[in-house]
Amino acid sequence: MDEQPKVGPTVLGKLVLFLFVLACIGGAAYYFRNLIAPSGRDATGPVNMDEFKKVEAPDAKGITTVTEYKYVPGEKLPPVKGVSAYKWGADKVVNFPINVWIGWLPIVAANGGFSPNPDSIFAKKYGFKVNLKLIDDPVVARDAFAAGESHVLWGTLDMMVLFAPDLMKDSRSAPRVFQQIDWSSGGDGIVVRGAIGSVADLKGKTIVYAQNSPSQYFINNLLLNAGVQPSAVKHKFTATAFEAAAAFVADKSIDACVSWAPDIYNIPEKVKGTRVLTTTAEANKLIADVWAARADFAKDHPEVIKGLVAGIFEGMDRLQDPTQREKAYSWMAEGYGMQADEVRAMANDAHSTNFSENKAFFLNANDPANFERTWKNVTFVYRELGLIDTPVRFDEVMDFGQLQELDKAGSFAHQKDESRASFAPTSYKKISAESPILTQTIRINFYPNSANVYEPQHDENGKPVSNTLYDPSVAATLEKVARLVGQYERAVVAVVGHTDSSMKGKGTRFEDVKALSSDRAEAVKQALVKKYNFDPNKFTVEGKGWDEPANPDDPMNQALNRRVEISVYPPESK
Amino acid sequence: MTTAAPAGGPARKAGSPVVSAPKVGPPAFPPGSAYTGFLRIREPLAAWKSWLLGMLPVLALLAIWVFVTTGAAEERVISPTILPSPAEVIASFPLLWFDRALTRNLAVSFKRVVEGFALAVAVSFPLGVLMGSFTKVKAAFTPLTVFGAYLPIPTLVPLTLSLFGTGELQKVMFLALAFSIYLVPLFVAAVDAVDDTYLKTAYTLGASQSEAVSRVLLPIAWPEIWQAMRLGFGVGWSYILLAEMVDIGSGIGGIIITSQRRGPREHIYLVLAMIVVVAFFTDRLWAGVGRFLFPYREQKA
């Protein structure tokens, strides 16, 4: 026989075996699919809105308007270990990278341009030089900072929240924030397409913005404040704000974009059917621009840090003089490779924060938009979005030591806080003709027939129980409202009270319920004005009686109906 | 097989004596290179040796990495805020695998690269062959390909945005563009490299123009074209970061961009390592299929 008798499976048998093995592998892969290809953590899961209230433990006391922090910064800041790892020569040049942003005008003015300059305030008064370098890409700026190539990191406070955990892995490159440069005031904004009139209208729409940037904080904070779940909006991410604007213009299926000036103002001019929804001119105490120094550098050279802080304040003084200001514009234009006119056009994007405003930001524990509250608010928003796991405490980054020293010396006592908006009394009718940016139902729950925010609990016989609160979370709720109102310094706030409808049709007069609801709104306003020193004229108070149930589908939920609602209206046009 | 043939290889010349017994191991060196030192020109190498030698630089790199990242954060040569240690990188792997869905994102990026590549080949293959065959076509398109080669590709991102939107199409089109710019010159060169002798022979045998292209130029150029595609496929991975800059959320480019902004740094290096692994296996696949399709090419060397 030529051929050996075949041993083993036939062709069909082999095929069946092969298919069987394949099926086994496929089945196993399917069974372990969550192990082989996990779907990842849902970054924008539903946010527990109740948690919004619990950012801080309730703090029932605190009626004063200025409380300075009592601790010494060094007690809370993480200690610096090891040998310092930054570049520092005999020529004493501080490498201070900045981005394209008008907020840096004071330091440009103080430095007399971008390059190290023997005629600068820093060289003449404080004995060191400053090298301002344009590093627009925050990742590059961060890497140069971590490597010790630059001593300073530019950024907004919300960027610092994201950068800090990683930078603090090495105690030497931990960021220390000493000074606020400005509040973004018109520099960041949201452009929408079509019939979107308020933030609440964004529900179900597609929005594009740069991920891990101030844009992300801005929009998600807005959504949360408007009571919209971030997951109810379709988010599209880009790497930079510039690309977000480009994507919005290019792709008609995108309903809104968050970007920066000048794009946010150029788009509505050039693209039909688009308009600016809101900008940081309205939310003008939301995005804080700051600079941070490396911890090892700050520890070794406190005199340089002090010189930087003081020099920047002196730069602000300089800018009061129109000729100095023009000079600063031209220096800045040269440094950025722009035209002086282009730089001048950015002048309204930011509000420089002088010494007195810095004091409020760093030292006043009661300021509704101070460092601590801003930091905690950013941390809250980012943690709810699943972007950070182990947040850094605000006092591990904030260092007000230099400000305190300058305060004692009285060097900048002449810089008064002139930013506080003044309000003329206005009526609810007048402002409510416009559409609000944010409408929020603040549920301070009121005891029947009471307009007392701090109403105690009552026992079965209706007797008040001392040392209790009918609404135990009232302090946290007020804190939340204060933070919201603080973010919109120039906006008008409508406080609208409501009653339940339990006595409807039982002989109760509507005037009486209306009066009770007005009293409730007034009580919330007074509580806010007292604790946070808001301008009373910022608020308009209205009582709606029982006309508007909290939930139209459940109008008889009376505990829910006894409430106050807050709406933020854009500042009245000047 | 005839038993008369000498065992060492084909007979040299009729009448010449069979020289020596077949050598075991490396074949004889050409005259004048009987050098036996450590480094020998075109020395044949056993597979295990080649593997070993290939591993040495990798191990050295790893050793340097360990060296500069050992100790407490403040005592390292390179701070962990710049370069985490290998152990830290490995420790963050579960987070990347589960929380950031590495495999799914890798699959998404791989799909984009494959689609972009397929599209690029569909356009640049006919163009390259035509340019390689017909001088007039070549003259017409050469300036464009030269511009393309000098073009800073990143600047094209906004342009592709306005043309193709922000979705999947834009990413695939951007990659296709990057691939085409790379592939066309290689395809042209592959067809160009075909010796004129073959063409002359074909014409002598009465081949038409189209036959000369389809039955002479192409078949001879195929292995080179395949090689060009094998090299070109890697290019997509170097552009994935740019392609995925918009509509971040899926794909490994997004993971890198996100890790740069909010950490962990470890994931940047892990994703780079993953790209290396993917590159290695896809390259093996290209090589394997190439050996299967063009077995004769291997004998050329």
Side-chain angles (χ1 to χ4, degrees), chain A residues 35-38 40-41 81 138 142-143 163 166 169-172 211-212 236-239 243 247 250-251 387, chain B residues 73-74 79-82 97-99 101 103-104 161-162 165-166 245-248 258 260-262 264-266:
Chain A
L35 204 65
I36 297 166
R41 193 171 51 176
K81 285 175 272 184
R142 177 241 174 249
D143 289 349
F163 278 147
D166 226 43
K169 281 183 187 165
D170 186 331
S171 67
R172 298 168 300 176
Q211 203 183 19
N212 305 312
K236 276 196 166 207
F237 301 125
T238 59
E243 280 152 15
D251 193 338
L387 301 192
Chain B
E74 287 80 8
S79 161
T81 58
I82 298 287
W97 187 272
F98 291 104
D99 277 16
T103 31
R104 284 181 188 220
L161 275 182
S162 56
T166 54
M245 245 158 107
V246 180
D247 197 10
I248 298 166
T258 303
Q260 284 176 332
R261 283 301 279 265
R262 60 164 198 257
R265 292 252 113 191
E266 286 85 347

Side-chain angles (χ1 to χ4, degrees), chain A residues 310-352:
Chain A
I312 290 172
F313 285 137
E314 283 168 53
M316 290 177 190
D317 279 343
R318 255 191 194 185
L319 291 174
Q320 300 297 319
D321 175 7
T323 50
Q324 292 279 359
R325 201 175 178 87
E326 278 308 307
K327 236 190 228 170
Y329 282 143
S330 64
W331 284 326
M332 194 173 223
E334 192 189 330
Y336 288 157
M338 295 165 82
Q339 298 296 314
D341 281 341
E342 295 174 283
V343 173
R344 216 173 286 120
M346 302 195 296
N348 292 324
D349 293 351
H351 167 81
S352 287

Side-chain angles (χ1 to χ4, degrees), chain B residues 4-293:
Chain B
R12 302 194 167 184
K13 251 180 209 169
S16 70
V18 174
V19 221
S20 60
K23 276 184 95 176
V24 182
F29 288 98
S33 67
Y35 178 66
T36 51
F38 178 68
L39 288 175
R40 278 178 287 164
I41 295 169
R42 298 200 174 157
E43 163 189 18
L45 204 57
W48 68 271
K49 276 189 190 165
S50 121
W51 265 91
L52 193 73
L53 285 173
M55 287 312 285
L56 279 181
V58 176
L59 288 175
L61 207 64
L62 210 62
I64 294 172
W65 186 6
V66 170
F67 175 73
V68 297
T69 57
T70 303
E74 287 80 8
E75 267 129 45
R76 297 181 185 180
V77 181
I78 296 181
S79 161
T81 58
I82 298 287
L83 181 68
S85 74
E88 285 162 348
V89 169
I90 291 165
S92 80
F93 190 73
L95 192 69
L96 179 66
W97 187 272
F98 291 104
D99 277 16
R100 289 198 167 160
L102 175 69
T103 31
R104 284 181 188 220
N105 285 309
L106 209 54
V108 167
S109 292
F110 194 79
K111 181 169 157 269
R112 285 173 184 158
V113 169
V114 170
E115 285 174 355
F117 185 75
L119 200 61
V121 170
V123 174
S124 49
F125 175 71
L127 184 65
V129 171
L130 287 177
M131 282 171 73
S133 312
F134 303 103
T135 324
K136 278 184 182 150
V137 181
K138 195 177 180 182
F141 284 100
T142 299
L144 269 187
T145 57
V146 171
F147 294 152
Y150 280 84
L151 217 57
I153 307 271
T155 53
L156 296 180
V157 173
L159 189 68
T160 56
L161 275 182
S162 56
L163 288 177
F164 308 113
T166 54
E168 209 55 34
L169 182 67
Q170 180 263 341
K171 291 167 189 62
V172 173
M173 289 305 286
F174 176 77
L175 287 173
L177 198 69
F179 274 128
S180 305
I181 286 170
Y182 187 84
L183 285 177
V184 170
L186 290 180
F187 286 162
V188 175
V191 180
D192 253 353
V194 175
D195 204 296
D196 272 352
T197 330
Y198 296 110
L199 271 183
K200 281 178 190 151
T201 315
Y203 290 145
T204 318
L205 293 172
S208 69
Q209 288 264 308
S210 62
E211 279 172 332
V213 173
S214 64
R215 304 187 57 179
V216 178
L217 289 180
L218 256 182
I220 296 172
W222 264 126
E224 286 304 317
I225 288 175
W226 185 262
Q227 188 66 11
M229 282 160 60
R230 179 182 163 188
L231 289 176
F233 193 75
V235 171
W237 292 97
S238 46
Y239 285 116
I240 197 78
L241 213 68
L242 287 172
E244 292 178 346
M245 245 158 107
V246 180
D247 197 10
I248 298 166
S250 57
I252 52 165
I255 295 184
I256 293 186
I257 292 169
T258 303
S259 304
Q260 284 176 332
R261 283 301 279 265
R262 60 164 198 257
R265 292 252 113 191
E266 286 85 347
H267 286 184
I268 302 170
Y269 298 98
L270 269 179
V271 170
L272 294 187
M274 282 298 128
I275 292 181
V276 171
V277 170
V278 170
F280 177 79
F281 283 111
T282 41
D283 189 65
R284 290 288 88 200
L285 192 67
W286 277 104
V289 176
R291 267 198 302 278
F292 175 75
L293 290 176

Side-chain angles (χ1 to χ4, degrees), chain A residues 164-244:
Chain A
D166 226 43
L167 285 173
M168 285 170 72
K169 281 183 187 165
D170 186 331
S171 67
R172 298 168 300 176
S173 62
R176 296 263 197 278
V177 178
F178 295 93
Q179 188 177 28
Q180 184 192 11
I181 295 296
D182 63 75
W183 287 107
S184 170
S185 177
D188 302 76
I190 299 169
V191 184
V192 293
R193 209 188 294 277
I196 295 169
S198 75
V199 177
D201 293 343
L202 288 171
K203 211 181 270 182
K205 298 285 198 289
T206 304
I207 185 157
V208 64
Y209 56 86
Q211 203 183 19
N212 305 312
S213 76
S215 303
Q216 185 166 25
Y217 170 56
F218 186 27
I219 181 65
N220 285 290
N221 182 65
L222 267 179
L223 290 173
L224 288 168
N225 280 339
V228 179
Q229 288 278 357
S231 56
V233 176
K234 194 167 178 289
H235 303 253
K236 276 196 166 207
F237 301 125
T238 59
T240 69
F242 165 70
E243 280 152 15

